[in-house]
Structure formats: structure tokens, C-alpha cells
Amino acid sequence: MNKNIMKRFKNKVVLVTGASRNTGVGIAELFIREGAKVFICGSTKESTSKGAEELRSKGYDGFIEAPCDISNLEQVKELFDFIKKECGRIDILVNNACQMGGDPIFWDLDPKDFMKVINVNLYGTFIVSQHAVRMMLEQPERGVIVNLSSNTSMQAIRKRTAYIASKGGIDALTRSMAIDLAPMGIRVNTVAPGYIHSERWDHLDESRIKRRRLNTPIGTEAYAEDIAQAVAFLASDAAKCIVGERLLVDSGSSAQAYPVDIDV
């Protein structure tokens, strides 16, 4: 681990939801590396412990395990009571927790399954943010919120109705939060990834991976570190005049009309 790394977030208190694996762990890792005290939040004690084990295996210890099902209002209240007891404040909230849902076509999607996704991705983001804001408003130095959306919120893919609806909601929620909270000294923005390399890619055929990469002009998917760097930028003082924005981190996918292998 590089001991000379820039410490943009020294002594900051950060909550990262969905920090049990993949992107969430990568985001938590970056903030820990840069001096923050990080609360890592998975939906259960077991999933949170999994994220903690991964961080410890890389030599990190500047974090606190804080399991919470963010779709459960009582658990969210308990989460923020815990943060307040431990640190007395929160400086940065990263709403990364995500429920992908299944892949039925629209007319076969069970309304209960639709609501499971909405309850985590949109409602969960709302109630976690609301509790964070209430704590931030009690602080002399307010805070920053970064939500995680998706490039699919603007360019839909097939058989992902619940997920796409939730991410479109996060885009709108971000704008609404941003204009309400900016006058109070709280900045809100969103990062919208495209393909992210995760453990799920380990189970894909090489031909499918190759085809996915054709959808990206730079020829590769993002990794957790890429998303983490974008989140950290928006959370940092370098972005102090950026409010209500949607930062695409999708390897150029949204910039092109057709992949390179499509003859137009």
C-alpha cells in the first residue's frame, strides 16, 4: 500500500452502502486509502463481513462494519444512531447499494419483484439520504452525497424494467435533492456507470465478454477503481461547484450510436 498517497479525505466520516463486494468495496477502499473513517454497509451482517474480509486482506483497517437493509426504515434509523454514537457526524454519503432484479420481459415481471428493486435502489437511497441530510444539517461543515445511477437510465436495455426505472428515478431524485440542499451547503451528484468488471464476469463465456467490449469505444469495461475515482472526485473539494450533475463512466458507450461491428 502506497503510504505517500494524497489524503483528500483525511478524518472525513464516510458511509458507503452496498459495500459487501465489487464496486462498493472498491469505493470504500479508495476513501480509506485517502484518510477517511469509513462505515461499510451491506444488507446483512454476513454480507458486510464479506466486504470487511476483502478490505482486511488488502491491508486496510480504517473502517467500521455497519450492516443495514436500506429498504427497512427502522434499520436505517438504527444505522444513523450508530454512526452518530461512533463519530458524531457524517461528511460523505455514497449511495451504492443496488438490487439488480431478475430478467423477465416487461409483461411477465411480477409487481412484487418490481417493488423489491424499487425499495432498495430508489426508496432505500431516499431514506438513507434523508437521514444523512438531517445529521449534516446539525454540523458546522455540511456534507456531500454521491448517488450511483447507470447509463441505462437514459439508454434502456432489454428485460431490465425494474432496474432501469429505479435508476431513472435516482437521476431525478439527484436533481431534486441537489436544488433543495445546495442552499443549505450540501452538494448532491450522481455517477452513472456502464459495464463494470465484477465477479459475475468470471462466469461469462469469452465470446460474450468480447461482444460486450465491442459496445465500448475504448474496448474495455470499467473496474471498481474507475468508479471509485469518479465518486471521489465528486465528493472532493475539486468539485465544489458541481451540483445536480450526472457523470457518465461507461467507457464511451453512451457516446456512440452503434458498436463498431454494426454496419450502418
Side-chain angles (χ1 to χ4, degrees):
M1 187 164 53
N2 184 356
K3 302 294 184 182
N4 298 317
I5 196 162
M6 179 171 53
K7 302 285 188 180
R8 289 178 289 182
F9 305 105
K10 187 176 181 180
N11 299 324
K12 296 291 187 181
V13 177
V14 180
L15 170 61
V16 181
T17 67
S20 59
R21 58 182 179 174
N22 298 324
T23 307
V25 170
I27 293 169
E29 179 182 337
L30 186 150
F31 279 107
I32 295 166
R33 237 175 26 226
E34 295 204 27
K37 176 174 280 190
V38 179
F39 288 84
I40 62 167
C41 171
S43 60
T44 65
K45 184 177 180 180
E46 293 73 23
S47 65
T48 306
S49 294
K50 182 180 177 183
E53 288 170 11
E54 184 173 344
L55 288 168
R56 289 191 191 102
S57 73
K58 296 178 178 181
Y60 297 106
D61 57 11
F63 62 89
I64 299 172
E65 295 178 49
C68 174
D69 174 358
I70 66 164
S71 67
N72 183 307
L73 182 57
E74 288 305 313
Q75 288 191 32
V76 171
K77 289 177 180 176
E78 291 172 4
L79 169 64
F80 280 89
D81 286 344
F82 177 61
I83 293 171
K84 193 165 190 177
K85 180 181 176 182
E86 290 291 314
C87 294
R89 73 181 200 280
I90 181 169
D91 300 302
I92 299 165
L93 166 63
V94 182
N95 283 306
N96 170 72
C98 179
Q99 169 63 254
M100 293 294 294
D103 58 357
I105 200 162
F106 176 81
W107 58 82
D108 284 335
L109 177 59
D110 188 318
K112 291 180 181 178
D113 292 333
F114 179 85
M115 287 309 303
K116 284 179 184 176
V117 175
I118 296 297
N119 282 339
V120 172
N121 297 1
L122 187 54
Y123 174 68
T125 294
F126 164 72
I127 58 175
V128 170
S129 297
Q130 194 172 64
H131 279 74
V133 165
R134 288 169 180 165
M135 191 179 294
M136 289 174 180
L137 289 174
E138 296 175 354
Q139 305 166 185
E141 294 185 7
R142 295 301 167 83
V144 179
I145 297 173
V146 182
N147 298 324
L148 269 291
S149 179
S150 167
N151 66 346
T152 62
S153 68
M154 298 292 285
Q155 292 181 299
I157 57 176
R158 292 169 179 80
K159 298 183 180 180
R160 279 289 186 273
T161 295
Y163 175 78
I164 292 168
S166 72
K167 294 301 185 178
I170 286 175
D171 288 354
L173 178 64
T174 297
R175 292 190 295 271
S176 180
M177 289 169 63
I179 63 169
D180 275 359
L181 298 174
M184 310 305 295
I186 299 171
R187 290 192 302 107
V188 186
N189 290 289
T190 188
V191 170
Y195 289 130
I196 306 174
H197 194 98
S198 69
E199 59 193 25
R200 290 187 295 273
W201 285 58
D202 296 337
H203 306 289
L204 296 176
D205 293 335
E206 191 60 35
S207 60
R208 190 172 181 187
I209 292 174
K210 184 178 180 180
R211 183 62 194 80
R212 282 187 174 190
R213 287 174 176 163
L214 287 175
N215 291 331
T216 67
I218 66 172
T220 184
E221 68 279 11
Y223 284 74
E225 175 73 7
D226 301 307
I227 308 306
Q229 289 290 351
V231 168
F233 165 67
L234 289 176
S236 74
D237 290 341
K240 65 184 177 63
C241 289
I242 300 177
V243 176
E245 287 300 321
R246 177 179 182 266
L247 176 58
L248 274 166
V249 187
D250 71 350
S251 303
S253 296
S254 298
Q256 66 180 7
Y258 302 100
V260 68
D261 61 328
I262 302 298
D263 182 6
V264 295

